[in-house]
Amino acid sequence: MNRLALLALTALLSQASAVTITVATVNNPDMVTMQKLTPEFNKKYPDIQVKWVTLPENELRQKITLDVASGAGSFDIATVGAYEVPIWAKNGWLKPLTPLFGKNPDIVKSYNLADVLPGVRSALTVGGSLYAVPFYAESSMTYYNKDLFKAAGLTMPAQPTWTQIQTFASKIHNPAKGVYGVCLRGLPGWGENMALFTTMVNTFGGRWFDQGWQAQLNTPAWKNAMTFYVNLVKKYGPPGATGNGFTENLTLMSQGKCGMWVDATVAAGFLSDPSSSKITKSVGFAKAPVGTTARGNNWYWSWNLAIPKSTKQEDAAFKFLTWATSQEYIALVAKTKGTWASVPPGTRTSTYQNANYKKAAGAFSGLVLSSINTADVNKATKDPVPYTGVQYVAIPEFQALGTQVGQYLAGALSGQYTVDQALKLSQDAANKTAREGGYQK
């Protein structure tokens, strides 16, 4: 057999033995980069083909939850949040990863699981077993345009209050020139507008439920927070705010159209990347705002890769998720993007010890790490509560409840409801959820 024939036969045999895995992920910039780098994975594992399903956050959650809960098996890797992992693990919907690490000593050595930040790793561990690995982890922080602040004679403190944010917004807001005082999430969804708004409620002294699981959404704290949020966004936010989530506000901020933006720490790298941001030299960073208390002002979140129990490609899926969350992958992103500031943050100690990362991300890396480390899912409210979570309530029913309340909040912002009407509807929905879930005694 000549050389060409041998190569052709080898190619045919490789195609015949190749497996295909389907990865479901959110359309955030970091995940888009992961999809673009698939050919690099194929170089390492030529016998594994990767099919992508990339969706907006709300739609992704619905599709993955339905598929994983029903055992349909459409996805071999699911991108899931810190909220879902412990709930889904207890439901038996996810493959435990600890046994898979045990079966793959070569991957264990190169992956260095001990390098993953302890708090992040702990949030993904249930009953002593790891059920997902972090693609990136985040808290929340305040971004501001230093050029706009300088022109207005303003100074952003290291720890702003929400009242200061409102004052700054009033002085920067200039819609005639396409500049808005502040951009905040308005798109309905438990992981969209309610993520930001719940941290605001926390700092206004509010909580979702008291220790008897009685809803607390008709309290002065919630009314003060919702009134403040609606007034702030209506007066000093961009038009059509109810259509703006993380991605839309990232675009506005990176184009220089927002004076301030309170959102995920993961955006710090994007705003510092010249290929995607026009404000790399003027973006400033501060802690997430506080109200009457600092408790629960900055959220904790991670996007993670997990293997649904229904997969038939367990080994191939494991190889992909360990590749995409490895030190090797992080270095690959830095090389591809041309800057270490753009790597997936918040997951590994080695990233924050890396001299190149310190040089590229020095303006924000310490603040990001501090925010992640200080976000406490067990003590996020002024008064005691029967649940965990900073920007969510860690019960299965919250996905539906949070989105429902998010719709009422968006209704108050758009003028469909008054604040009082939105709070009444939200209070009733929360009590109904607690009763039907068996939480209220």
Side-chain angles (χ1 to χ4, degrees), residues 116-125 130 134 136-137 300 302 304 346-347 372:
V116 177
L117 293 170
V120 176
R121 194 167 68 244
S122 175
L124 306 176
T125 301
L130 192 69
Y136 71 75
Y300 171 76
S302 61
N304 317 281
T347 62
I372 292 172

Side-chain angles (χ1 to χ4, degrees), residues 155-207:
T155 301
M156 173 68 77
Q159 174 63 85
T161 66
W162 276 111
T163 301
Q164 287 175 318
I165 294 292
Q166 184 181 50
T167 299
F168 296 153
S170 70
K171 298 182 182 300
I172 293 172
H173 191 59
N174 191 350
K177 292 189 175 180
V179 174
Y180 307 101
V182 64
C183 292
L184 299 177
R185 296 187 187 191
L187 183 68
W190 75 269
E192 281 286 1
N193 62 347
M194 290 311 297
L196 180 281
F197 184 66
T198 298
T199 63
M200 185 182 287
V201 168
N202 292 340
T203 71
F204 276 63
R207 53 184 173 169

Side-chain angles (χ1 to χ4, degrees), residues 26-27 55-64 187-193 303 399 403:
V26 67
N27 64 345
L55 298 166
E57 186 170 327
N58 288 344
E59 189 177 345
L60 176 83
R61 284 199 171 101
Q62 292 173 356
K63 281 189 176 295
I64 290 182
L187 183 68
W190 75 269
E192 281 286 1
N193 62 347
W303 278 117
Q399 185 166 331
T403 296

Side-chain angles (χ1 to χ4, degrees), residues 209 213-215 395 401 429-440:
F209 298 97
W213 286 98
Q214 297 297 317
I395 57 174
L401 172 62
N431 269 327
K432 181 181 179 183
T433 295
R435 284 195 306 271
E436 293 181 352
Y439 299 98
Q440 289 182 356

Side-chain angles (χ1 to χ4, degrees), residues 4 100 131 202 212 304 348 414:
L4 287 176
L100 296 179
Y131 279 86
N202 292 340
N304 317 281
R348 290 182 170 271
S414 68

Side-chain angles (χ1 to χ4, degrees), residues 158-404:
Q159 174 63 85
T161 66
W162 276 111
T163 301
Q164 287 175 318
I165 294 292
Q166 184 181 50
T167 299
F168 296 153
S170 70
K171 298 182 182 300
I172 293 172
H173 191 59
N174 191 350
K177 292 189 175 180
V179 174
Y180 307 101
V182 64
C183 292
L184 299 177
R185 296 187 187 191
L187 183 68
W190 75 269
E192 281 286 1
N193 62 347
M194 290 311 297
L196 180 281
F197 184 66
T198 298
T199 63
M200 185 182 287
V201 168
N202 292 340
T203 71
F204 276 63
R207 53 184 173 169
W208 279 84
F209 298 97
D210 66 15
Q211 288 190 296
W213 286 98
Q214 297 297 317
Q216 299 294 299
L217 284 70
N218 62 347
T219 56
W222 270 78
K223 183 170 183 176
N224 291 341
M226 189 175 289
T227 301
F228 184 90
Y229 166 87
V230 169
N231 288 340
L232 178 63
V233 179
K234 273 187 175 180
K235 287 182 179 179
Y236 308 119
T242 56
N244 293 345
F246 170 82
T247 304
E248 293 78 13
N249 283 327
L250 172 61
T251 300
L252 288 169
M253 186 73 193
S254 64
Q255 296 299 307
K257 295 182 179 180
C258 301
M260 294 172 290
W261 179 36
V262 181
D263 215 296
T265 55
V266 70
F270 307 143
L271 295 173
S272 302
D273 183 354
S275 70
S276 60
S277 173
K278 293 181 179 179
I279 62 166
T280 55
K281 294 182 179 179
S282 59
V283 60
F285 311 95
K287 294 180 180 179
V290 298
T292 58
T293 175
R295 189 72 66 84
N297 70 312
N298 57 296
W299 69 59
Y300 171 76
W301 186 253
S302 61
W303 278 117
N304 317 281
L305 301 184
I307 303 177
K309 196 73 172 284
S310 53
T311 182
K312 293 181 174 59
Q313 306 294 347
E314 176 184 290
D315 290 339
F318 183 71
K319 288 174 181 176
F320 182 86
L321 66 77
T322 49
W323 171 81
T325 60
S326 65
Q327 290 172 268
E328 171 194 356
Y329 175 84
I330 290 173
L332 180 62
V333 173
K335 180 181 178 182
T336 303
K337 290 280 192 176
T339 172
W340 271 85
S342 297
V343 304
T347 62
R348 290 182 170 271
T349 300
S350 57
T351 299
Y352 291 90
Q353 293 176 342
N354 185 291
N356 292 318
Y357 185 74
K358 287 181 178 179
K359 182 178 180 181
F364 59 81
S365 61
L367 179 56
V368 170
L369 188 60
S370 171
S371 297
I372 292 172
N373 287 337
T374 57
D376 191 343
V377 298
N378 296 304
K379 295 179 180 178
T381 56
K382 179 176 73 72
D383 297 319
V385 294
Y387 57 86
T388 61
V390 181
Q391 77 280 21
Y392 56 81
V393 177
I395 57 174
E397 297 85 356
F398 185 75
Q399 185 166 331
L401 172 62
T403 296
Q404 188 175 9

